[in-house]
Amino acid sequence: MPGQPGIFTSKTRFELAKMTAQRIDGTAVAKSIRAQVAQRAAALTAKGNQPGLAVVLVGDDSASAVYVRNKIKACEEAGVCSVLEKYEASLSEADLLARVAALNADARIHGILVQMPLPKHIDAHKVIEAISPKKDVDGFSLMSAGELASGLDGFKACTPWGCMKLIESTGVPIKGKHAVVIGRSNTVGKPMALMLLQANATVTVCHSATTDLAAHVRQADIVVAAVGRRNTVTGEMLKPGAIVIDVGMNRHPEGHPNAGKLCGDVDFESANAVAGYITPVPGGVGPMTIAMLLSNTLDSAECG
Ligand code: NAP
């Protein structure tokens, strides 16, 4: 009988089938971008100008070591020459700045990435600003941030730029949509909001002092969560059909059935039942950051 628990008419089955968001496969989108990068790298190498990325790691932070290893591996796979410079945590700020200056002057290097965080005695802003604007493939410098804010071409921060590619991969036009970005960091939230604005979305930025986050999220056709806190967004906060991009990287706590496993800022299960499109964690935004880093490096190398 219709309405009786456990017994579904064909109509309700259809409705239930529709109540699952389409998965945005970041691994597949990143793979396709990396394949394009490999083609571009091969073309440049054939002309005697192999693209080169320098990655500088200071100290022994284990997470940073993993990120750096993944970046070097991605370079190798794409035919981009990588130069890894590893230093003890005791490296002085002056010595690091001298290394950045040397890499700025090295014609084989088209992109420079200094892995964050740096040891406390080194001023990260000073180091980022020391990187030549022509080689700022992380897009973190004031010049790159200013270009983005002014709507000019320049290196775009890799994670939000990757999120834009994921939104574009849905085929849903961004123009005229209401986007809500949760988080306002200089590396993710703010550049994300500016990129969406540049793409003609109407943008709301929420943060820790936002009152009634749910009321804002409920208005959104596009939600980007970049907070670093599990379950910040749940299905009941979403507008049906919304595009949900989950940047967060968190771990399920002790006592959870998936304790210790990676999760995002969005409660995937409840959001999946309401959203139109959704990124999983892992396999959503994560793979895009390195893909966009390589893409920025190729843009730099192609400029000569
Ligand atoms: P962040 O610098 O700590 O910024 C977090 C932002 O979230 C801040 O703007 C903060 O507001 C806001 N926030 C905190 N609590 C909130 C709440 N209850 N409601 C609304 N907003 C709140 O972090 P981030 O570097 O932007 O990174 C965010 C997350 O993305 C982290 O989990 C990080 O690991 C992940 N991430 C992933 C990738 C990737 O490749 N997948 C790359 C980068 C970052 P205030 O400004 O008011 O403090």
Side-chain angles (χ1 to χ4, degrees), residues 52-77:
L53 175 70
V55 181
V56 181
L57 176 62
V58 185
D60 50 13
D61 181 80
S62 57
S64 294
V66 173
Y67 295 145
V68 163
R69 208 178 309 134
N70 290 342
K71 286 164 188 169
I72 299 293
K73 188 163 167 264
C75 283
E76 282 165 8
E77 284 169 8

Side-chain angles (χ1 to χ4, degrees), residues 76-270:
E76 282 165 8
E77 284 169 8
V80 172
C81 172
S82 60
V83 174
L84 171 59
E85 298 205 357
K86 275 172 88 169
Y87 298 103
E88 300 284 318
S90 57
L91 182 77
S92 73
E93 183 181 281
D95 284 346
L96 179 56
L97 291 171
R99 279 315 304 151
V100 170
L103 292 168
N104 283 341
D106 187 337
R108 297 165 308 162
I109 299 298
H110 303 94
I112 302 170
L113 182 150
V114 179
Q115 185 64 46
M116 299 293 155
L118 288 169
K120 286 199 168 43
H121 65 277
I122 298 179
D123 181 343
H125 284 291
K126 218 189 238 183
V127 175
I128 290 167
E129 290 311 306
I131 296 171
S132 161
K134 290 183 182 162
K135 300 188 179 186
D136 174 33
V137 288
D138 243 348
F140 287 169
S141 70
L142 293 177
M143 169 78 93
S144 297
E147 283 167 337
L148 176 62
S150 310
L152 299 171
D153 278 345
F155 292 116
K156 293 186 173 64
C158 300
T159 299
W161 190 218
C163 293
M164 287 300 285
K165 297 290 168 197
L166 292 179
I167 298 167
E168 286 165 14
S169 77
T170 65
V172 176
I174 297 173
K175 184 177 176 180
K177 297 291 190 303
H178 187 178
V180 170
V181 178
I182 317 172
R184 57 173 165 181
S185 68
N186 289 333
T187 49
V188 188
K190 277 184 205 154
M192 185 76 246
L194 288 166
M195 287 175 205
L196 286 161
L197 193 61
Q198 187 67 18
N200 286 318
T202 300
V203 183
T204 301
V205 181
C206 299
H207 44 77
S208 66
T210 297
T211 54
D212 204 351
L213 178 68
H216 291 286
V217 173
R218 206 160 284 130
Q219 306 289 319
D221 305 301
I222 301 168
V223 180
V224 181
V227 174
R229 202 189 64 161
R230 289 169 66 243
N231 298 339
T232 298
V233 175
T234 59
E236 62 188 19
M237 296 164 74
L238 292 170
K239 181 175 177 176
I243 298 174
V244 179
I245 306 291
D246 191 351
V247 186
M249 284 204 306
N250 313 297
R251 301 256 168 210
H252 287 295
E254 287 298 317
H256 189 279
N258 293 319
K261 289 206 174 135
L262 204 59
C263 65
D265 291 343
V266 177
D267 173 42
F268 187 85
E269 203 177 321
S270 63

